[in-house]
Amino acid sequence: TIAFGVPGTSMPAFGDVLSKAQIADLGRMVRAFSPPQKKPAVALDIPPPPAEPSALVARGEAIYGKLGCALCHGKRGRGDGSAAATLVGPTGLPAPPYDLSAHPLRRPRGPGESTLKAIFMSLKTGLAATPMPAYDSATTDAELWAVSAYVATFLPGRAALENRADEVDPMAQKLATGENRVRTGYYPGRGDPAAMKVFGHEIGLQGEPPAALAPAQASLSPRQCARCHAKQWREWRGSIHAQAVSPGLLAQILPMAHAGRHATVESCQRCHAPLAEQRAAIRTKGQKTGYEKNSAFDPVLRGAGITCAGCHVRNWRRLGPPRIADTRLPSLPSYPLTELAIYERADFCLPCHQLPPRPAPAGKPLLNTYREWLAGPYMRRGIQCQSCHMPGREHTWKGIHDPDAVRQGIALSARAEAAGDDVRVSASLENIGAGHYLPTTPTPALWLEIQLIDGAGKAIPGAAKKLRIGRHLVYRRRFVELEDTRIPPGRHATLSAAWQGPGAANARAAVITVRVFPDEYYERFYAARLEGKLSAKARGLFVRALARARAARYIALTRTVAIRR
């Protein structure tokens, strides 16, 4: 489970970032959470599988009925049995069986374990913490193999009856072979048709719009979306999503495009400008590395960044969250909406807000937001990314660049005391509102600063100290982490300082400041690039990008604390 994750759930795979020894240690720790067993565990004697499981299907169907499996799972494994609605888990919450015909098995499998054996083990041992019981003592192993063969015919794609040792989860196979670079911008899970519709594959060209669509509906321009979605458009155009194709991004990808490095450009644009119509070159069908000129390329649309259609239109069909009662949008038969619950789940944001496990300086991916949320307290409370970044379904996505959003997420406390000529000041900044580390990406830096002032309010020279809060990375042919002082949810960072002498004796108060550089990494990166040789066009883009990054700085909080003597 730790190594390969659980397909169809929010449990990711960690076999790409942990060694076998670390996984073994974690396994022992997880087992320690369980109550002591009343009797010693005994290894199961697993008989060999039948040579031709396909011959057992008819017999397995009869045993499936005899054991009462259909009462919960339904006759064809769709989770629609008569007792399905009554099932509850150990916490008392409903736990109906999921649709085996639409989702893969959730039982994790490593290399060498077949689908058939995974079904057999689930039947024989049951699934802990679910209503699925063990049938080890209810019937014979031969009958369990027959039921396994019948259940295998439910699985999506094909009747998975072959007892093949290489029939493993694709991610498990990649881990076993060392091929563990999951591409950003794609949904990495399996078994969720809703997720696969939106981000489960490369977003292809929309093609010719259906004749039933009005001209505005047959456009990918956000301005045309604004005709019906005026509120959402107004919110979007001031967002970071609308600015995703920035001068800094263009300065980096245009030279790559001119050099024919289309795969690298595509990897960047997959999140910053996801529509196929926003790419100058697209993959040639049937080839992994071949690219051809995109006749549908629209540079104006590319400049719009993450557009409405990037999240909501596939093959000219609208996708979106379930409608709410107070919606003012008309229901148009000619432009139907497919409602998908994933739009209100955190894993909708996963493809672009969780980078692959490599490169991982200091063992952490460059962007680890989704895993931070999984490990933190917010996921357990049911608070999704959208809860904070899209309240009331607003399309603003406020974050580190917005002073009010940052102020809502932090709490500052401080004290200043003096004893004789000694002055001691302590300031603490707590993450009270972010469901991930603060800040989550390596791009920003927050500075917690202390400055002593005299009775006239002037700064006392030499009586200042500051703490950098963030993940400090530098690039030296690879990313190197110098320090990580970010604040996890519910935790705090503290800066303490002490001064002596005449200056401290004259101090009357301490000014505590929280200063935010939202693009601190890029400020360093752009400045370094401008020191090198660049084309006139690239230099102009980098100059604009650096000015824009520096202009984003702001003071989030400032507080004056009197020194108690």
Side-chain angles (χ1 to χ4, degrees), residues 127 223 254 274 303 335 453 490 544:
L127 293 172
R223 288 187 174 275
L254 290 181
Y335 198 25
I453 59 175
R544 288 171 54 199

Side-chain angles (χ1 to χ4, degrees), residues 44-56:
L44 288 173
D45 181 19
I46 307 298
E52 295 185 11
S54 57
L56 300 176

Side-chain angles (χ1 to χ4, degrees), residues 498-510:
W499 293 274
Q500 294 178 320
N506 293 330
R508 293 295 177 266

Side-chain angles (χ1 to χ4, degrees), residues 50 52 92 100 253 284 318 444:
E52 295 185 11
L100 286 166
I253 68 172
T284 304
R318 284 186 302 162

Side-chain angles (χ1 to χ4, degrees), residues 289-347:
T289 57
Y291 285 83
E292 62 184 11
K293 187 176 181 180
N294 181 8
S295 60
F297 170 60
D298 183 344
V300 175
L301 184 63
R302 179 179 66 181
I306 304 170
T307 63
C308 316
C311 291
H312 291 285
V313 179
R314 299 291 182 270
N315 298 320
W316 294 112
R317 292 191 63 85
R318 284 186 302 162
L319 309 175
R323 288 181 177 270
I324 52 179
D326 63 347
T327 181
R328 296 177 176 85
L329 296 174
S331 179
L332 302 174
S334 63
Y335 198 25
L337 169 70
T338 299
E339 298 182 5
L340 300 175
I342 189 175
Y343 279 86
E344 296 184 305
R345 299 200 319 250
D347 54 336

Side-chain angles (χ1 to χ4, degrees), residues 441-454:
T441 76
T443 302
L446 281 70
W447 298 94
L448 179 58
E449 303 174 355
I450 298 174
Q451 172 68 64
L452 296 187
I453 59 175
D454 59 21

Side-chain angles (χ1 to χ4, degrees), residues 185-200:
Y186 295 147
Y187 189 84
R190 298 172 64 231
D192 189 334
M196 303 306 282
K197 277 185 179 180
V198 187
F199 291 123

